[in-house]
Amino acid sequence: MVQPSYPIRTERLTLRPVTMDDLDDVYAYQSRRDVVRWMLGAEPRTREQSRASVRVMAGEDAWRAEGDCLTVAVVGDTGVIGTVELVWHGERDRTAELGYVFHPDHGGRGLATEAVTALVDWGFDEAGLHRVFGRCHARNEASARLMARIGMRPGGPPCAELPV
């Protein structure tokens, strides 16, 4: 099993496992059309759908086998403002895929960049990753800019990668 030493702290944020107590905060952004429009075929979630989502994310606190997703809640001054995840693609090639979702009310202050950087750094420094890649919708310019800010380079549309 591979997992961070929780919590991961940054200057302004705490990254920790998702819990069922996070439902209200997660539902606040999962129910927004402007957030889910970038998710594959997703519609705004009902509270019950968000409850199911939080239940799944609460179990994603470590990598136990290839294909597992490690999801952390990003906690700021007002509660959970988003989630960041790394999906473990392969032990042999030491790769993972990056994903993130943030409440738009917390945009424009570098919080997403700070959180994503912290989890990616853990992946390289502690989990021994060799490469992290991310994908985003071709029109999701904010996500593409975030990946560029943390040093990812285009690796083929619409994705970016960050090698060691």
Side-chain angles (χ1 to χ4, degrees), residues 4 6 15-19 29 53-54 56-63 68-74 82-87 99-100 119:
Y6 292 114
L15 282 61
R16 56 144 174 88
V18 175
T19 71
Y29 60 82
S53 173
V54 169
V56 169
M57 289 188 290
E60 297 175 334
D61 63 342
W63 290 334
D68 280 356
C69 182
L70 172 74
T71 303
V72 294
V74 179
T83 57
V84 181
E85 66 183 26
L86 285 173
V87 180
Y100 42 84
L119 191 61

Short mmCIF file of all heavy atoms in Angstrom, two decimals, residues 4 6 15-19 29 53-54 56-63 68-74 82-87 99-100 119:
data_model
loop_
_atom_site.label_atom_id
_atom_site.label_comp_id
_atom_site.label_asym_id
_atom_site.label_seq_id
_atom_site.Cartn_x
_atom_site.Cartn_y
_atom_site.Cartn_z
N PRO A 4 0.11 8.86 1.19
CA PRO A 4 0.82 9.97 1.83
C PRO A 4 0.76 9.87 3.35
O PRO A 4 -0.10 9.20 3.90
CB PRO A 4 0.05 11.22 1.37
CG PRO A 4 -0.76 10.78 0.20
CD PRO A 4 -1.04 9.32 0.41
N TYR A 6 -0.61 11.63 5.92
CA TYR A 6 -1.62 12.68 6.02
C TYR A 6 -1.48 13.45 7.31
O TYR A 6 -1.09 12.90 8.32
CB TYR A 6 -3.02 12.07 5.95
CG TYR A 6 -3.37 11.48 4.61
CD1 TYR A 6 -3.57 10.12 4.46
CD2 TYR A 6 -3.52 12.30 3.50
CE1 TYR A 6 -3.90 9.58 3.23
CE2 TYR A 6 -3.85 11.76 2.27
CZ TYR A 6 -4.04 10.40 2.14
OH TYR A 6 -4.37 9.87 0.92
N LEU A 15 -4.31 19.00 2.55
CA LEU A 15 -4.79 17.91 1.71
C LEU A 15 -4.90 16.69 2.60
O LEU A 15 -3.93 16.33 3.29
CB LEU A 15 -3.83 17.64 0.55
CG LEU A 15 -3.89 18.58 -0.64
CD1 LEU A 15 -3.56 20.01 -0.28
CD2 LEU A 15 -2.98 18.10 -1.75
N ARG A 16 -6.08 16.07 2.60
CA ARG A 16 -6.33 14.93 3.47
C ARG A 16 -7.35 14.02 2.81
O ARG A 16 -7.99 14.40 1.82
CB ARG A 16 -6.84 15.42 4.82
CG ARG A 16 -8.09 16.31 4.67
CD ARG A 16 -9.04 16.09 5.81
NE ARG A 16 -10.16 17.00 5.80
CZ ARG A 16 -11.31 16.77 5.15
NH1 ARG A 16 -11.47 15.68 4.42
NH2 ARG A 16 -12.31 17.63 5.21
N PRO A 17 -7.54 12.81 3.36
CA PRO A 17 -8.55 11.93 2.76
C PRO A 17 -9.94 12.56 2.82
O PRO A 17 -10.27 13.32 3.73
CB PRO A 17 -8.50 10.68 3.64
CG PRO A 17 -7.14 10.70 4.25
CD PRO A 17 -6.81 12.16 4.44
N VAL A 18 -10.74 12.24 1.84
CA VAL A 18 -12.14 12.68 1.79
C VAL A 18 -12.91 11.89 2.84
O VAL A 18 -12.66 10.71 3.05
CB VAL A 18 -12.73 12.43 0.38
CG1 VAL A 18 -14.21 12.77 0.34
CG2 VAL A 18 -11.95 13.21 -0.68
N THR A 19 -13.85 12.55 3.52
CA THR A 19 -14.72 11.88 4.48
C THR A 19 -16.18 12.21 4.15
O THR A 19 -16.46 13.17 3.42
CB THR A 19 -14.44 12.33 5.93
OG1 THR A 19 -14.89 13.69 6.09
CG2 THR A 19 -12.95 12.22 6.27
N TYR A 29 -20.07 22.12 -5.33
CA TYR A 29 -19.52 22.30 -6.68
C TYR A 29 -19.94 21.21 -7.65
O TYR A 29 -20.05 21.46 -8.84
CB TYR A 29 -17.99 22.49 -6.67
CG TYR A 29 -17.15 21.39 -6.10
CD1 TYR A 29 -16.82 20.28 -6.85
CD2 TYR A 29 -16.65 21.47 -4.80
CE1 TYR A 29 -16.02 19.28 -6.33
CE2 TYR A 29 -15.85 20.48 -4.28
CZ TYR A 29 -15.54 19.38 -5.05
OH TYR A 29 -14.75 18.39 -4.53
N SER A 53 -20.72 9.75 -4.69
CA SER A 53 -19.39 10.16 -5.13
C SER A 53 -18.44 10.32 -3.95
O SER A 53 -17.30 9.84 -3.97
CB SER A 53 -19.49 11.48 -5.91
OG SER A 53 -18.22 11.99 -6.20
N VAL A 54 -18.91 10.97 -2.90
CA VAL A 54 -18.09 11.17 -1.70
C VAL A 54 -17.76 9.82 -1.06
O VAL A 54 -16.64 9.59 -0.61
CB VAL A 54 -18.77 12.13 -0.71
CG1 VAL A 54 -18.07 12.14 0.64
CG2 VAL A 54 -18.82 13.54 -1.29
N VAL A 56 -17.37 6.98 -2.55
CA VAL A 56 -16.30 6.36 -3.35
C VAL A 56 -14.97 7.05 -3.06
O VAL A 56 -13.96 6.38 -2.80
CB VAL A 56 -16.63 6.43 -4.86
CG1 VAL A 56 -15.42 6.05 -5.71
CG2 VAL A 56 -17.81 5.52 -5.18
N MET A 57 -14.96 8.38 -3.10
CA MET A 57 -13.71 9.11 -2.86
C MET A 57 -13.15 8.84 -1.46
O MET A 57 -11.93 8.80 -1.27
CB MET A 57 -13.91 10.62 -3.06
CG MET A 57 -14.10 11.00 -4.51
SD MET A 57 -14.10 12.79 -4.79
CE MET A 57 -15.65 13.29 -4.05
N ALA A 58 -14.02 8.63 -0.48
CA ALA A 58 -13.57 8.36 0.89
C ALA A 58 -12.78 7.06 0.96
O ALA A 58 -11.95 6.88 1.85
CB ALA A 58 -14.76 8.33 1.84
N GLY A 59 -13.01 6.16 0.03
CA GLY A 59 -12.26 4.91 -0.01
C GLY A 59 -10.99 4.98 -0.83
O GLY A 59 -10.25 4.00 -0.94
N GLU A 60 -10.71 6.14 -1.41
CA GLU A 60 -9.55 6.31 -2.28
C GLU A 60 -8.42 7.05 -1.56
O GLU A 60 -7.92 8.06 -2.00
CB GLU A 60 -9.96 7.07 -3.55
CG GLU A 60 -10.98 6.31 -4.37
CD GLU A 60 -11.50 7.09 -5.56
OE1 GLU A 60 -11.50 8.36 -5.52
OE2 GLU A 60 -11.94 6.45 -6.52
N ASP A 61 -8.00 6.49 -0.43
CA ASP A 61 -6.99 7.15 0.40
C ASP A 61 -5.58 6.62 0.21
O ASP A 61 -4.64 7.09 0.83
CB ASP A 61 -7.37 7.05 1.88
CG ASP A 61 -7.42 5.60 2.36
OD1 ASP A 61 -7.50 4.68 1.52
OD2 ASP A 61 -7.38 5.40 3.58
N ALA A 62 -5.43 5.58 -0.66
CA ALA A 62 -4.12 4.97 -0.88
C ALA A 62 -4.16 4.20 -2.19
O ALA A 62 -5.22 3.90 -2.73
CB ALA A 62 -3.79 4.01 0.27
N TRP A 63 -2.97 3.86 -2.68
CA TRP A 63 -2.85 2.95 -3.81
C TRP A 63 -2.59 1.56 -3.26
O TRP A 63 -1.62 1.33 -2.54
CB TRP A 63 -1.68 3.32 -4.70
CG TRP A 63 -1.85 4.58 -5.48
CD1 TRP A 63 -3.00 5.17 -5.89
CD2 TRP A 63 -0.79 5.40 -5.97
NE1 TRP A 63 -2.73 6.30 -6.60
CE2 TRP A 63 -1.37 6.46 -6.67
CE3 TRP A 63 0.60 5.34 -5.89
CZ2 TRP A 63 -0.62 7.45 -7.29
CZ3 TRP A 63 1.34 6.31 -6.50
CH2 TRP A 63 0.73 7.37 -7.19
N ASP A 68 -5.67 1.97 -9.06
CA ASP A 68 -6.31 2.66 -7.93
C ASP A 68 -6.17 4.17 -8.07
O ASP A 68 -5.19 4.67 -8.61
CB ASP A 68 -5.68 2.24 -6.60
CG ASP A 68 -6.18 0.90 -6.10
OD1 ASP A 68 -7.08 0.33 -6.74
OD2 ASP A 68 -5.66 0.44 -5.07
N CYS A 69 -7.15 4.85 -7.52
CA CYS A 69 -7.17 6.31 -7.51
C CYS A 69 -6.92 6.78 -6.08
O CYS A 69 -7.54 6.30 -5.14
CB CYS A 69 -8.54 6.79 -8.00
SG CYS A 69 -8.66 8.57 -8.09
N LEU A 70 -6.01 7.70 -5.93
CA LEU A 70 -5.76 8.36 -4.65
C LEU A 70 -6.39 9.74 -4.75
O LEU A 70 -5.99 10.55 -5.59
CB LEU A 70 -4.26 8.49 -4.39
CG LEU A 70 -3.87 9.32 -3.18
CD1 LEU A 70 -4.16 8.56 -1.90
CD2 LEU A 70 -2.40 9.70 -3.25
N THR A 71 -7.42 9.99 -3.96
CA THR A 71 -8.13 11.27 -4.00
C THR A 71 -7.99 11.97 -2.67
O THR A 71 -8.22 11.36 -1.62
CB THR A 71 -9.63 11.05 -4.31
OG1 THR A 71 -9.76 10.34 -5.53
CG2 THR A 71 -10.36 12.39 -4.42
N VAL A 72 -7.62 13.24 -2.71
CA VAL A 72 -7.51 14.02 -1.48
C VAL A 72 -8.45 15.22 -1.54
O VAL A 72 -8.66 15.81 -2.60
CB VAL A 72 -6.06 14.51 -1.22
CG1 VAL A 72 -5.13 13.34 -0.96
CG2 VAL A 72 -5.54 15.37 -2.36
N ALA A 73 -9.03 15.52 -0.39
CA ALA A 73 -9.83 16.74 -0.24
C ALA A 73 -8.86 17.90 -0.07
O ALA A 73 -7.87 17.78 0.66
CB ALA A 73 -10.74 16.62 0.97
N VAL A 74 -9.16 19.00 -0.73
CA VAL A 74 -8.37 20.21 -0.60
C VAL A 74 -9.14 21.14 0.33
O VAL A 74 -10.23 21.60 -0.01
CB VAL A 74 -8.11 20.87 -1.96
CG1 VAL A 74 -7.30 22.15 -1.79
CG2 VAL A 74 -7.43 19.90 -2.91
N GLY A 82 -12.17 21.67 -3.15
CA GLY A 82 -11.98 20.83 -4.32
C GLY A 82 -11.33 19.51 -3.96
O GLY A 82 -11.11 19.21 -2.78
N THR A 83 -11.02 18.74 -4.99
CA THR A 83 -10.31 17.48 -4.82
C THR A 83 -9.22 17.38 -5.87
O THR A 83 -9.33 17.94 -6.96
CB THR A 83 -11.24 16.25 -4.95
OG1 THR A 83 -11.88 16.28 -6.22
CG2 THR A 83 -12.26 16.20 -3.82
N VAL A 84 -8.16 16.66 -5.52
CA VAL A 84 -7.09 16.35 -6.46
C VAL A 84 -6.86 14.85 -6.38
O VAL A 84 -6.95 14.26 -5.30
CB VAL A 84 -5.78 17.10 -6.10
CG1 VAL A 84 -4.68 16.77 -7.11
CG2 VAL A 84 -5.99 18.60 -6.03
N GLU A 85 -6.60 14.24 -7.53
CA GLU A 85 -6.41 12.80 -7.54
C GLU A 85 -5.25 12.40 -8.43
O GLU A 85 -4.91 13.11 -9.38
CB GLU A 85 -7.67 12.08 -8.00
CG GLU A 85 -8.04 12.35 -9.44
CD GLU A 85 -9.34 11.68 -9.86
OE1 GLU A 85 -10.20 11.43 -9.00
OE2 GLU A 85 -9.47 11.39 -11.07
N LEU A 86 -4.65 11.28 -8.09
CA LEU A 86 -3.66 10.62 -8.93
C LEU A 86 -4.12 9.19 -9.11
O LEU A 86 -4.30 8.46 -8.13
CB LEU A 86 -2.27 10.64 -8.27
CG LEU A 86 -1.51 11.95 -8.29
CD1 LEU A 86 -0.23 11.84 -7.46
CD2 LEU A 86 -1.18 12.38 -9.72
N VAL A 87 -4.30 8.79 -10.37
CA VAL A 87 -4.67 7.41 -10.69
C VAL A 87 -3.39 6.68 -11.07
O VAL A 87 -2.70 7.08 -12.01
CB VAL A 87 -5.69 7.36 -11.85
CG1 VAL A 87 -6.05 5.90 -12.17
CG2 VAL A 87 -6.93 8.17 -11.52
N GLY A 99 -5.84 14.36 -11.89
CA GLY A 99 -7.17 14.92 -12.07
C GLY A 99 -7.48 15.88 -10.93
O GLY A 99 -6.90 15.77 -9.84
N TYR A 100 -8.36 16.83 -11.17
CA TYR A 100 -8.72 17.80 -10.13
C TYR A 100 -10.04 18.46 -10.49
O TYR A 100 -10.40 18.58 -11.64
CB TYR A 100 -7.63 18.86 -9.96
CG TYR A 100 -7.04 19.37 -11.26
CD1 TYR A 100 -7.65 20.39 -11.98
CD2 TYR A 100 -5.87 18.81 -11.76
CE1 TYR A 100 -7.12 20.84 -13.17
CE2 TYR A 100 -5.34 19.26 -12.96
CZ TYR A 100 -5.97 20.27 -13.65
OH TYR A 100 -5.44 20.71 -14.85
N LEU A 119 0.32 17.50 -4.40
CA LEU A 119 0.09 16.07 -4.60
C LEU A 119 1.04 15.49 -5.65
O LEU A 119 1.55 14.38 -5.49
CB LEU A 119 -1.37 15.78 -4.98
CG LEU A 119 -1.73 14.29 -4.96
CD1 LEU A 119 -1.54 13.70 -3.55
CD2 LEU A 119 -3.14 14.07 -5.44
#
